[in-house]
Amino acid sequence: MSSTKRTILFAAASVIALTGAQAVAQESRTVDIITVTAQKREQGIQDVPVAVTAYNEEFLLNAGVRDLKDLAIISPGLNVTSTSNEFITTARIRGIGTVGDNPGLESSVGVVIDGVPRARNGVGFNDLGELERIEVLRGPQGTLFGANTTAGIINVVTKRPEYDLSSHIQLDYVGGDASGWGVSGGMTGGLNDSMALRLYGGIRERDGYNTVETFGGPRTEAEDGDQDFYTFRGQLLIDFSDDVNLLLSGDLTKREENCCGAPSLVSGPTAAAINALVPGGRPMPGSEDPFSRVIQSNRGTGQDIIDHGFSGELNWQFDNFAMTAILSDRDYSLNSGQDTDFTGADIVFRDAENNTFDFGNTTFELRFSGSTERFEWMVGSYYSSEDLVRQDAIQMGSDFSNFLGLLGGNPGLVNALANGLGGAFIPGYVPLAPGAGAPLGGGNPLGDTFTQDGESFSLFTHNTWHLTDSTDLTFGLRHTTTEKTATFDFGDSNTPACDVWEAVFGDALDFSTPLSQAILTGFSLGSGVPAASLQLFGTYTCLPFARDVFSQIDNTQSLEENEFSGLLSLSHRFNDDLLMYGTYSHGYKAGGFNLDRFTQAGSSAVDFTAALADPTSYPARFDPETVDSFEIGIKTEWANDTLLANFYLFKSEFDTYQLNTFNGIAFFVTSIDGASTQGAEMELLWLPDAMPGLTVQGGVTYADATYNEFAPTGTPDVDRLSGQNFSLAPEWYASGSVTYNGTFGQDMTWLAHLDARYLSEQNTGSDLDPEKHQDAYTLFNGRVGIGSADESWSLELWGRNLTDEDYVQVGFDGPFQSGSFNSFLGTPRTWGLTLRARR
């Protein structure tokens, strides 16, 4: 362990040891008053037969949690990563989750904010405003929360309006490489005896913590990883009577940033071709240092994000039952630029104008609940309608053709092809001058448009039968009908060089036939270019985004699914401080479509030929995913209810697991025979009577998440996963925090907080390449502060990633660069000051 880490741990231990005589005088605290809504009704956390951890407002403030990515460092078993833009943010629980930029793929971990499910993880990772608590539910939660919760739920509850008038403001200064500032604040109060309002707003700006070498552009921004956004949230509570209330909510967030470049992790032999075109365009083998945070990018990575919506929640208490109705409507839009080759050479790129994503989602939930002496019941329905539009255009840059020539080992390959092939099949084709750098056809500037309309309707029931005073039987069932319609509207690529290859070798471009090999040999003799180089050139020149024949595959496809999910749980309370339960649950994740030109096998000749014959056979669809899960939990309280210690054993078996992987050109989703995760968890919360200012919280998760053995799919990147551990799924997770609130002087308080997170070794790449291996690492965050006893003001100094740990979030293949790998890095050390004022 490094000396810096020892110092941090010693300081935390010293804080605990020295605080006994300075504790804040307060009433005794107990763990059994923690309330959660894990079963959509308020219950004590130790009475719920669910593996759930709750984090209250004070803890979330001390840990610096503003969005759900911040939550990962304090929640055991939770892992959150992001890749090429903020929309591609993925949560995993117990090793289960799916990363990728295919918006047709839905999440395994559901995100619910104030009772409203967010249909994709990425649309739920904004500033969350004023938080009351966050609950992390582990394991399938499909009975109450519906499809796409096969791994768990992150349930966010924000603060509701209050009638007592209060306001607050917060000023933040951020230092270090990612320097910046922020202002946020809010107020709440009663408008009259039956209406209360809460408003919140914030503005934040941050410099980029990655330096960009632009090589003359057209990119001009010299930083990456910056942030510039504002957010606004408003809530109006109307109490019509003691039994009827309506909560109206609206929010808007707008973000503009440059994200996310990816430095070189490993440079392969193709780096020489990059540097021959643009000296320094990619580090040469042996000179890579991704943690220097220097990125080679001649194209822009600008992101423009708008997320807004409203919701209404009606609660009506009748004589012997209650009704809750929640209506929401949300819209999310993203314009995203990308330097798709992740080098200083101008090979392939996406510009923000032609790379867009728009997502609209309307939901309505209606549920009734009630109870008798022996029975608690709930029935309900849920409806969701979503409209998704994706526009995508991969364009060839000015270095594309010459880069392919250099890959063939012959700098004159482009000219040789122009003379040997172009003149024969393209009248008027002018050979390129050596080093001219003009693109072969210009790629796909118009772009492709993918639309997907989806509707889902569910009926569900969730009930608890009190068999005895100490034994409960909980059972639930949900039926979900899902309908989706996807339309593929491919733009015209108009790439003359690809026209040549299709004219010679046919639309399928199958180079494996004897005839194709004979033709390649003939061209090789005529041009002096090796046959293998010619084949490589043809393959890369005629990738799906460059092929006119794909415009023939404009079609519409649909699917309809009917699935059941449910649970059965038996729990027994042996005494006031010991609950044990066993639960079986069945979950469901909807099937969908690959909203991309790339087929399951990347550019399979067989699939492509079939698609030409019958456009509706284009292999875009992937199957639904189901899971059967078993869990045993033991929930205990000790030391006069000041110590919570819970233990869980779990095993989840997935069928037709939805696997998303990257083949060096694009992400694609396929269904494999299955996967599983199994392991154990422990969580602790200690509120000692002897030191009433001290709070200790933490947990440990062991999760063995593996793919089942499955038959070869014909795709090497998929086949190598058979029987292996998941990517981004360390076996061990551990997190812990120590917080102390003390007093000094007459009316002053002080705060010390330290939290830490440990992850064991893991592979960060979806295809498990050894180059993407990440060793075990530990992250530390800390906070110290002073303030007034009446909480009218406080000043805090904080730091994140205190030891400046270097780690890779996600590793991936360098596009078009066999043997090269890039990486999206974790955030470096940041520190700052926070001033809060309340009244």
Side-chain angles (χ1 to χ4, degrees):
M1 181 182 294
S2 70
S3 60
T4 304
K5 293 180 181 178
R6 288 195 199 98
T7 301
I8 291 172
L9 293 175
F10 177 77
S14 300
V15 167
I16 298 173
L18 296 173
T19 51
Q22 305 179 60
V24 179
Q26 56 182 312
E27 297 180 359
S28 177
R29 302 170 298 163
T30 61
V31 299
D32 60 358
I33 62 172
I34 301 172
T35 300
V36 296
T37 53
Q39 298 187 137
K40 293 197 174 182
R41 56 170 68 95
E42 290 192 352
Q43 296 171 283
I45 193 170
Q46 294 297 86
D47 297 324
V48 180
V50 176
V52 54
T53 305
Y55 304 95
N56 63 21
E57 177 191 13
E58 180 182 7
F59 184 86
L60 295 170
L61 285 173
N62 291 336
V65 175
R66 289 199 180 108
D67 61 34
L68 296 182
K69 284 189 288 186
D70 297 330
L71 184 66
I73 197 168
I74 60 175
S75 181
L78 175 66
N79 198 9
V80 181
T81 58
S82 58
T83 54
S84 59
N85 59 57
E86 290 296 330
F87 174 74
I88 309 173
T89 300
T90 303
R92 295 171 181 78
I93 292 179
R94 294 172 174 173
I96 300 298
T98 310
V99 67
D101 64 352
N102 178 3
L105 182 66
E106 300 179 45
S107 58
S108 299
V109 177
V111 176
V112 178
I113 302 177
D114 290 335
V116 177
R118 303 296 173 91
R120 304 291 189 277
N121 280 175
V123 304
F125 285 83
N126 283 321
D127 191 302
L128 297 172
E130 299 173 280
L131 295 170
E132 179 178 318
R133 69 180 181 276
I134 296 179
E135 305 165 3
V136 179
L137 288 66
R138 300 179 293 278
Q141 305 295 325
T143 305
L144 282 174
F145 294 96
N148 311 320
T149 61
T150 50
I153 282 285
I154 301 173
N155 186 33
V156 179
V157 181
T158 66
K159 300 182 74 172
R160 294 167 68 94
E162 301 171 2
Y163 282 93
D164 293 334
L165 181 64
S166 65
S167 61
H168 70 92
I169 188 171
Q170 176 174 314
L171 306 177
D172 294 294
Y173 169 76
V174 181
D177 293 336
S179 61
W181 58 272
V183 179
S184 59
M187 59 81 61
T188 188
L191 301 178
N192 52 42
D193 291 342
S194 61
M195 299 175 66
L197 180 70
R198 180 179 291 275
L199 300 175
Y200 170 82
I203 302 174
R204 305 191 201 284
E205 289 190 7
R206 183 188 72 194
D207 293 337
Y209 49 78
N210 297 317
T211 300
V212 180
E213 297 176 340
T214 63
F215 299 93
R219 178 178 183 142
T220 59
E221 300 87 1
E223 293 182 345
D224 191 88
D226 60 333
Q227 196 173 80
D228 182 359
F229 79 90
Y230 65 83
T231 185
F232 175 79
R233 181 183 302 269
Q235 294 175 305
L236 177 64
L237 175 65
I238 306 173
D239 286 312
F240 295 103
S241 68
D242 292 340
D243 298 324
V244 184
N245 65 72
L246 174 66
L247 178 65
L248 301 175
S249 304
D251 64 270
L252 168 66
T253 298
K254 190 176 191 307
R255 302 175 61 154
E256 294 181 357
E257 54 204 34
N258 294 284
C259 181
C260 300
S264 174
L265 184 65
V266 175
S267 291
T270 59
I274 298 290
N275 283 276
L277 293 169
V278 180
R282 183 180 186 103
M284 291 298 289
S287 64
E288 312 93 339
D289 179 14
F291 300 107
S292 68
R293 299 187 182 275
V294 176
I295 292 171
Q296 295 77 39
S297 177
N298 69 297
R299 291 284 179 173
T301 56
Q303 317 283 314
D304 191 352
I305 302 169
I306 299 176
D307 182 20
H308 62 93
F310 74 87
S311 65
E313 178 181 331
L314 176 66
N315 292 285
W316 195 326
Q317 181 66 52
F318 293 87
D319 290 340
N320 51 12
F321 69 92
M323 182 194 78
T324 297
I326 304 175
L327 172 68
S328 75
D329 186 73
R330 302 200 60 82
D331 288 285
Y332 181 95
S333 66
L334 166 69
N335 288 53
S336 176
Q338 183 187 65
D339 190 330
T340 309
D341 55 78
F342 295 93
T343 73
D346 195 28
I347 302 174
V348 284
F349 66 95
R350 288 178 167 103
D351 63 49
E353 182 179 353
N354 294 317
N355 187 35
T356 65
F357 173 76
D358 295 280
F359 184 80
N361 190 205
T362 301
T363 67
F364 179 69
E365 181 175 50
L366 176 65
R367 63 178 187 265
F368 300 88
S369 61
S371 63
T372 64
E373 183 178 357
R374 287 292 182 184
F375 197 72
E376 298 179 33
W377 58 271
M378 179 184 297
V379 295
S381 63
Y382 175 78
Y383 172 78
S384 173
S385 174
E386 62 180 50
D387 301 303
L388 181 158
V389 180
R390 180 195 185 197
Q391 185 178 4
D392 182 40
I394 299 179
Q395 296 176 242
M396 299 175 186
S398 59
D399 292 324
F400 179 81
S401 56
N402 288 327
F403 172 65
L404 294 188
L406 290 168
L407 286 187
N410 187 335
L413 177 58
V414 174
N415 286 316
L417 289 173
N419 290 320
L421 301 179
F425 297 99
I426 308 176
Y429 188 88
V430 179
L432 296 173
L440 278 178
N444 184 24
L446 299 179
D448 303 326
T449 301
F450 306 90
T451 63
Q452 179 174 288
D453 299 329
E455 288 190 333
S456 175
F457 180 73
S458 301
L459 295 172
F460 63 89
T461 181
H462 187 275
N463 312 280
T464 299
W465 180 16
H466 304 294
L467 300 175
T468 69
D469 291 341
S470 56
T471 304
D472 292 341
L473 179 67
T474 300
F475 55 95
L477 188 66
R478 188 183 191 107
H479 179 267
T480 302
T481 298
T482 301
E483 296 181 357
K484 294 181 180 179
T485 299
T487 300
F488 304 82
D489 185 7
F490 296 132
D492 293 327
S493 302
N494 190 28
T495 306
C498 189
D499 291 341
V500 171
W501 291 98
E502 290 173 339
V504 175
F505 296 96
D507 289 336
L509 283 186
D510 187 353
F511 294 111
S512 64
T513 66
L515 178 59
S516 294
Q517 290 297 306
I519 295 174
L520 284 172
T521 300
F523 284 152
S524 177
L525 293 173
S527 65
V529 178
S533 298
L534 290 171
Q535 181 174 329
L536 176 72
F537 190 90
T539 299
Y540 278 114
T541 303
C542 291
L543 289 169
F545 66 80
R547 305 187 66 176
D548 282 342
V549 289
F550 263 92
S551 63
Q552 301 176 35
I553 311 179
D554 296 349
N555 71 96
T556 298
Q557 300 184 35
S558 300
L559 65 81
E560 180 176 350
E561 297 171 355
N562 290 276
E563 292 285 344
F564 283 96
S565 54
L567 68 86
L568 182 65
S569 179
L570 183 66
S571 62
H572 180 75
R573 181 166 288 285
F574 292 89
N575 54 50
D576 290 342
D577 298 325
L578 173 59
L579 174 75
M580 184 173 181
Y581 71 86
T583 298
Y584 162 76
S585 57
H586 179 77
Y588 154 68
K589 181 181 175 184
F593 300 96
N594 280 292
L595 302 181
D596 200 293
R597 281 199 183 198
F598 289 83
T599 66
Q600 175 176 307
S603 56
S604 166
V606 175
D607 290 340
F608 184 64
T609 302
L612 288 175
D614 178 11
T616 61
S617 71
Y618 179 71
R621 179 174 172 175
F622 50 89
D623 295 330
E625 174 183 291
T626 58
V627 58
D628 292 294
S629 181
F630 302 87
E631 183 173 285
I632 296 174
I634 301 174
K635 296 192 171 188
T636 67
E637 299 168 34
W638 306 80
N640 296 320
D641 297 335
T642 62
L643 174 64
L644 175 154
N646 295 340
F647 308 88
Y648 309 98
L649 296 174
F650 61 87
K651 181 177 178 62
S652 297
E653 291 283 351
F654 290 79
D655 190 27
T656 56
Y657 184 76
Q658 293 173 0
L659 174 67
N660 194 36
T661 190
F662 183 67
N663 64 2
I665 301 171
F667 283 96
F668 58 96
V669 183
T670 186
S671 297
I672 62 175
D673 289 342
S676 65
T677 180
Q678 58 188 340
E681 294 173 321
M682 177 186 70
E683 59 179 343
L684 297 172
L685 174 62
W686 185 32
L687 310 172
D689 279 337
M691 289 185 286
L694 177 67
T695 300
V696 180
Q697 187 167 0
V700 177
T701 296
Y702 170 78
D704 179 22
T706 58
Y707 302 107
N708 291 356
E709 297 281 351
F710 55 84
T713 65
T715 305
D717 293 327
V718 174
D719 292 341
R720 78 175 63 165
L721 307 182
S722 180
Q724 301 299 309
N725 286 91
F726 279 22
S727 62
L728 292 161
E731 288 189 344
W732 290 96
Y733 309 73
S735 62
S737 66
V738 179
T739 307
Y740 195 87
N741 290 282
T743 63
F744 67 97
Q746 294 297 316
D747 50 9
M748 296 288 290
T749 64
W750 63 273
L751 162 74
H753 173 88
L754 178 71
D755 57 62
R757 175 176 176 81
Y758 167 82
L759 295 179
S760 63
E761 63 179 354
Q762 58 182 303
N763 192 296
T764 66
S766 56
D767 52 8
L768 301 182
D769 282 319
E771 292 84 357
K772 302 167 187 175
H773 177 83
Q774 169 62 53
D775 291 333
Y777 63 92
T778 304
L779 301 177
F780 294 92
N781 296 337
R783 184 178 298 261
V784 294
I786 60 172
S788 63
D790 63 1
E791 299 184 345
S792 60
W793 68 270
S794 65
L795 179 64
E796 298 170 356
L797 171 67
W798 52 266
R800 300 181 67 81
N801 191 3
L802 292 172
T803 60
D804 201 17
E805 186 78 23
D806 292 332
Y807 64 99
V808 172
Q809 282 195 95
V810 176
F812 62 97
D813 297 65
F816 306 96
Q817 302 165 66
S818 177
S820 291
F821 303 90
N822 291 69
S823 55
F824 297 108
L825 303 180
T827 307
R829 175 172 51 210
T830 56
W831 62 272
L833 287 169
T834 295
L835 174 64
R836 296 190 184 99
R838 305 174 186 270
R839 58 171 301 173

